Amino acid sequence: MIETHIKGIPCKVEMTAGYYQKPDYNTWASDWDYYGGWFDVEFQVYDRKGYKAKWLEKKMTADDEQRIVKELTENAGEH
């Protein structure tokens, strides 16, 4: 679980599922597959006390989600 924020509101986020597709230089199905691979991440948002926060999840912008996925994937390599 990491500490982050959504719309400036402090919260915690836990990755509940994640998959990393390594680059595959033998396929041309997608430039994502060929060059950099991709992540598929699911996560749950909690308030600072650790309770699920659906209300805060609803406030999340696309930029918030992109930043949180990046934070989660960077953090996943540390464990």
Side-chain angles (χ1 to χ4, degrees):
M1 192 174 302
I2 63 168
E3 293 187 9
T4 188
H5 61 346
I6 294 174
K7 301 274 284 201
I9 302 169
C11 62
K12 296 178 182 182
V13 176
E14 178 181 34
M15 186 184 321
T16 56
Y19 177 77
Y20 173 61
Q21 174 63 49
K22 294 181 182 178
D24 182 357
Y25 303 111
N26 296 317
T27 183
W28 284 95
S30 164
D31 58 341
W32 288 14
D33 290 335
Y34 185 82
Y35 289 108
W38 49 270
F39 281 99
D40 182 21
V41 175
E42 295 178 15
F43 58 89
Q44 179 66 53
V45 177
Y46 299 89
D47 63 16
R48 289 184 292 175
K49 293 182 180 180
Y51 297 103
K52 288 184 180 179
K54 289 284 186 186
W55 64 272
L56 188 53
E57 204 170 312
K58 291 177 183 177
K59 292 183 176 282
M60 186 174 1
T61 65
D63 288 342
D64 286 327
E65 184 174 3
Q66 186 176 8
R67 177 183 43 76
I68 290 169
V69 167
K70 183 177 179 186
E71 290 173 1
L72 286 169
T73 54
E74 288 173 351
N75 190 53
E78 296 175 8
H79 297 289

